[in-house]
Amino acid sequence: AQTVTQSQPEMSVQEAETVTLSCTYDTSESDYYLFWYKQPPSRQMILVIRQEAYKQQNATENRFSVNFQKAAKSFSLKISDSQLGDAAMYFCAYRRGIQGAQKLVFGQGTRLTINP
Amino acid sequence: NAGVMQNPRHLVRRRGQEARLRCSPMKGHSHVYWYRQLPEEGLKFMVYLQKENIIDESGMPKERFSAEFPKEGPSILRIQQVVRGDSAAYFCASQTGTGGHYEQYFGPGTRLTVT
């Protein structure tokens, strides 16, 4: 079974600085997707960024980028120019690529605090 | 286009009562997932349904929990004889097709409290 591990229960960063959240995963498959979700206090799950395993290029979305190391099974999220609105729980998630097995497997989460 | 709707947003039940959680997927979406989030934990998969079919229920507890997604109407997650350990946030997500490249869109969740 696939597992996702986030080893940092909490992280904090000064506003406008850069922070990196870590995620590792375990799988024997070659076709899969990786995601970072943000969960603010409202509890709404918001997709931040996704990465297809077959793509070598790291995904980026504005201030958010990932460092995808397929051989090391590592998928970290970098947030640049941190803003107060970035404060939230962040979850890394894995999903198999084949049809019929599409549940998301989540890590335990990292609580990110932004210091003004 | 309305997003995924869940109701109620908050539900309080006494031990032994039944809880019914509803999920209306986005328009055109025929695939629904249910996840449970215990306090201070990540989301855990429970069940995956397509219209009138349960595709994967490997995350569902064996007893007291059931789910359906009828041809018409919302998907329902039903918990019979609730216990304190069922207190959690329950999220549903919908997607339009089958395949790992389709995005799952999450509803706002239902927070169940068992007293």
Side-chain angles (χ1 to χ4, degrees):
Chain A
Q2 293 80 23
T3 58
V4 177
T5 302
Q6 294 178 248
S7 59
Q8 305 156 315
E10 297 183 354
M11 292 283 285
S12 63
V13 64
Q14 290 296 124
E15 191 176 4
E17 295 193 345
T18 296
V19 64
T20 299
L21 307 184
S22 300
C23 172
T24 58
Y25 59 95
D26 186 26
T27 185
S28 58
E29 302 187 336
S30 59
D31 182 17
Y32 54 88
Y33 298 81
L34 296 165
F35 305 84
W36 278 98
Y37 282 89
K38 171 184 178 182
Q39 188 179 44
S42 67
R43 288 185 169 259
Q44 178 71 52
M45 294 293 287
I46 301 166
L47 178 64
V48 174
I49 200 165
R50 62 180 275 166
Q51 174 80 44
E52 293 86 346
Y54 62 85
K55 289 187 177 179
Q56 292 187 336
Q57 187 173 5
N58 290 324
T60 62
E61 286 289 341
N62 301 314
R63 298 182 295 107
F64 298 87
S65 61
V66 298
N67 184 4
F68 174 44
Q69 301 288 326
K70 191 171 183 179
K73 295 179 183 175
S74 170
F75 183 61
S76 60
L77 174 70
K78 185 172 82 171
I79 307 174
S80 303
D81 186 26
S82 299
Q83 300 176 0
L84 294 178
D86 295 333
M89 284 292 290
Y90 285 81
F91 293 98
C92 178
Y94 168 100
R95 187 181 193 191
R96 296 172 75 184
I98 62 174
Q99 291 190 8
Q102 300 158 40
K103 64 187 178 187
L104 287 161
V105 178
F106 288 88
Q108 308 93 314
T110 296
R111 184 178 303 278
L112 178 64
T113 302
I114 311 296
N115 300 313
Chain B
N1 187 9
V4 178
M5 309 288 286
Q6 288 189 251
N7 66 81
R9 294 293 307 277
H10 300 275
L11 181 61
V12 179
R13 284 287 179 265
R14 293 182 177 172
R15 281 179 296 171
Q17 290 185 319
E18 179 180 289
R20 279 181 177 248
L21 287 63
R22 294 174 182 78
C23 170
S24 296
M26 289 179 69
K27 186 176 181 180
H29 288 196
S30 58
H31 303 253
V32 166
Y33 301 77
W34 286 93
Y35 296 87
R36 176 165 66 174
Q37 185 179 29
L38 295 171
E40 304 303 318
E41 294 189 10
L43 279 70
K44 296 283 197 314
F45 167 77
M46 299 182 75
V47 62
Y48 166 37
L49 310 102
Q50 295 179 20
K51 287 280 189 180
E52 300 184 277
N53 287 301
I54 297 175
I55 307 302
D56 180 0
E57 56 181 347
S58 59
M60 286 277 271
K62 298 297 183 192
E63 298 178 351
R64 302 188 297 108
F65 285 72
S66 62
E68 63 177 10
F69 189 15
K71 185 176 181 181
E72 301 292 337
S75 175
I76 306 287
L77 180 67
R78 182 184 178 202
I79 311 172
Q80 295 178 290
Q81 299 176 323
V82 296
V83 301
R84 289 242 171 93
D86 297 332
S87 295
Y90 292 82
F91 291 90
C92 80
S94 73
Q95 71 183 45
T96 184
T98 183
H101 58 287
Y102 286 102
E103 182 178 341
Q104 290 186 18
Y105 294 85
F106 281 84
T110 293
R111 183 178 295 191
L112 172 65
T113 301
V114 179
T115 61

